[in-house]
Amino acid sequence: MTVSKAAEKSAEATAKGAEAARARKDAPDDAGEALQLGELSEQLGYVLKRAQLKVFENFLHCMASLQLTPAQFSVLLLVEKNPGRNQTEVASTLGILRPNFVAMLDNLESRDLCARIRSTNDRRSHILVLTDKGKAVLSRAKKLVATKHEARLNELLGGANREALIAMLSKIANEF
Amino acid sequence: MTVSKAAEKSAEATAKGAEAARARKDAPDDAGEALQLGELSEQLGYVLKRAQLKVFENFLHCMASLQLTPAQFSVLLLVEKNPGRNQTEVASTLGILRPNFVAMLDNLESRDLCARIRSTNDRRSHILVLTDKGKAVLSRAKKLVATKHEARLNELLGGANREALIAMLSKIANEF
DNA sequence: TATTGTTATACTCTATAACTATA
DNA sequence: TATAGTTATAGAGTATAACAATA
């Protein structure tokens, strides 16, 4: 038997002991079901990922009537704030690769939320603009985010903590 | 021309004006290059996602010598803390679906970091244990995380803020 | 009949190379 | 030659159905 296999057998014995104790429910401080997270609950990456999934899930739920994903909402917000920019500029600002931005825009354009316009300065570029409908939908989206999504967060953390959280996350996103 | 198309033309005129002004670089308060994030920088989901990507990127960099992803690290931590649990229990605790957990375990087991052991209580179950090598690698991984990954975060935010951040993210992950 | 681990499969995200039309 | 938009494609991550072994 190899050293590694011997260690595995030893671990196996320990594991089976724990399993048997749990089966007999004779471990006093063992709830009997849930696993202990241990150091995992202090790992930034772990809680960050779990929190992000929850926030996106809630966002999608709040936006169900408008059928907007977080990524689509971010595109509409950025195009509204920066009229006259091309696909490369908008995509790179959002961390989206240009090839992957094509299908996203196809979707938004097919729903008449935004439009590509060939630039007269540089005929290679497509300038992005919100349509009338795009502006209206974005306006409704902002209201839904404020009254449902952000309101829920304020309720959970309080306004001051919410601002501190955003500030720390921004710092990590920009400087880590 | 439809109403929507007329609105688009109007938006187009505005966009082209902004584009032309930028081309002439005659907009006083326009840096000339970077887009303005506007409300995006206050959107929780946006900063959360960007921060998560940065943290995972840094984690992978710190762990390059051990070739451990955040997900693999979380599995090793959880198995060490909870010996004698089966695949379903470990996977569901981490939010991993059982079918997707199979390939992950195949990888860890092929590297001799953990082992599946058929339970004697219930021969359907595979009990998970860390091998000797798995315990050693996890120990080194924890040191790398503490001295490189977490140290960087403390440097950026300070210890008190770091704890407050983790607490808020945990609250969101558990209660949002 | 129900559950564990597994396979197969599909859908989304993300990433890279290469094409076209313009510059 | 270099750049903008695009296509094709490949790889992760994630989701569901169904099967064999076992309870």
Side-chain angles (χ1 to χ4, degrees):
Chain A
M1 181 182 280
T2 65
V3 173
S4 151
K5 280 293 173 187
E8 185 177 309
K9 284 288 178 190
S10 169
E12 175 176 357
T14 303
K16 285 193 176 175
E19 185 201 12
R22 206 167 36 254
R24 292 191 311 272
K25 289 183 171 28
D26 63 355
D29 51 358
D30 188 328
E33 276 301 316
L35 277 71
Q36 294 185 297
L37 287 186
E39 304 168 59
L40 210 47
S41 55
E42 294 292 321
Q43 285 295 319
L44 175 65
Y46 180 74
V47 294
L48 203 43
K49 180 73 180 177
R50 300 295 291 237
Q52 183 254 307
L53 289 173
K54 273 290 183 73
V55 168
F56 271 42
E57 184 184 28
N58 179 266
F59 184 97
L60 287 171
H61 181 256
C62 293
M63 287 300 202
S65 63
L66 297 179
Q67 285 288 97
L68 282 182
T69 67
Q72 291 168 335
F73 180 65
S74 70
V75 171
L76 297 184
L77 268 184
L78 198 60
V79 171
E80 181 194 49
K81 182 74 177 183
N82 300 272
R85 299 300 193 132
N86 66 27
Q87 294 184 198
T88 298
E89 292 173 315
V90 173
S92 78
T93 298
L94 293 174
I96 301 170
L97 291 170
R98 276 62 81 214
N100 299 332
F101 196 45
V102 175
M104 252 190 101
L105 277 183
D106 288 346
N107 179 308
L108 294 175
E109 203 172 22
S110 74
R111 294 159 66 183
D112 193 29
L113 298 179
C114 77
R116 295 163 160 112
I117 301 171
R118 211 164 266 288
S119 169
T120 48
N121 299 331
D122 182 343
R123 290 183 43 76
R124 294 171 301 183
S125 292
H126 288 174
I127 285 175
L128 299 179
V129 297
L130 294 192
T131 61
D132 193 36
K133 183 180 171 192
K135 289 174 184 170
V137 166
L138 179 57
S139 174
R140 286 207 283 154
K142 286 181 187 177
K143 291 192 183 99
L144 286 178
V145 167
T147 61
K148 298 190 177 229
H149 189 63
E150 289 178 3
R152 178 81 178 278
L153 183 67
N154 275 326
E155 183 182 311
L156 194 64
L157 299 181
N161 285 333
R162 181 191 161 279
E163 287 197 19
L165 174 63
I166 302 254
M168 286 192 276
L169 292 173
S170 295
K171 189 158 192 172
I172 291 174
N174 295 317
E175 302 173 34
F176 201 78
Chain B
M1 182 183 278
T2 65
V3 172
S4 149
K5 281 291 173 185
E8 184 177 309
K9 285 288 176 189
S10 168
E12 175 177 355
T14 304
K16 285 193 175 175
E19 185 201 11
R22 209 166 37 255
R24 292 192 310 271
K25 288 180 174 26
D26 64 355
D29 51 357
D30 189 329
E33 277 299 318
L35 277 71
Q36 294 185 297
L37 287 185
E39 303 169 59
L40 210 47
S41 55
E42 294 292 322
Q43 284 294 319
L44 175 66
Y46 181 74
V47 295
L48 202 44
K49 180 70 182 181
R50 301 294 293 236
Q52 185 255 308
L53 290 173
K54 274 289 184 71
V55 167
F56 271 42
E57 184 184 29
N58 179 266
F59 184 97
L60 287 171
H61 181 255
C62 293
M63 287 301 201
S65 64
L66 296 179
Q67 286 287 100
L68 282 183
T69 66
Q72 290 169 336
F73 180 66
S74 71
V75 171
L76 297 183
L77 269 184
L78 197 61
V79 171
E80 182 194 48
K81 182 75 175 181
N82 300 272
R85 298 299 192 132
N86 67 27
Q87 294 183 198
T88 297
E89 291 172 315
V90 172
S92 78
T93 299
L94 294 173
I96 300 170
L97 291 170
R98 276 62 80 214
N100 299 331
F101 197 45
V102 174
M104 252 190 102
L105 277 182
D106 288 347
N107 179 309
L108 294 175
E109 202 171 22
S110 73
R111 294 158 66 182
D112 193 29
L113 299 179
C114 78
R116 294 162 160 112
I117 300 171
R118 213 167 261 290
S119 168
T120 48
N121 299 333
D122 182 343
R123 289 182 43 75
R124 293 171 300 182
S125 292
H126 288 174
I127 285 174
L128 299 179
V129 296
L130 295 192
T131 61
D132 192 36
K133 183 181 171 192
K135 288 175 184 171
V137 167
L138 179 57
S139 174
R140 285 208 284 154
K142 286 181 187 176
K143 290 190 183 100
L144 286 178
V145 166
T147 61
K148 299 190 177 231
H149 189 64
E150 288 179 5
R152 178 82 178 279
L153 183 67
N154 275 325
E155 184 182 311
L156 194 65
L157 299 182
N161 285 332
R162 181 189 160 282
E163 287 198 21
L165 174 63
I166 302 253
M168 284 191 278
L169 292 173
S170 294
K171 188 157 191 172
I172 290 173
N174 294 317
E175 301 173 35
F176 201 76

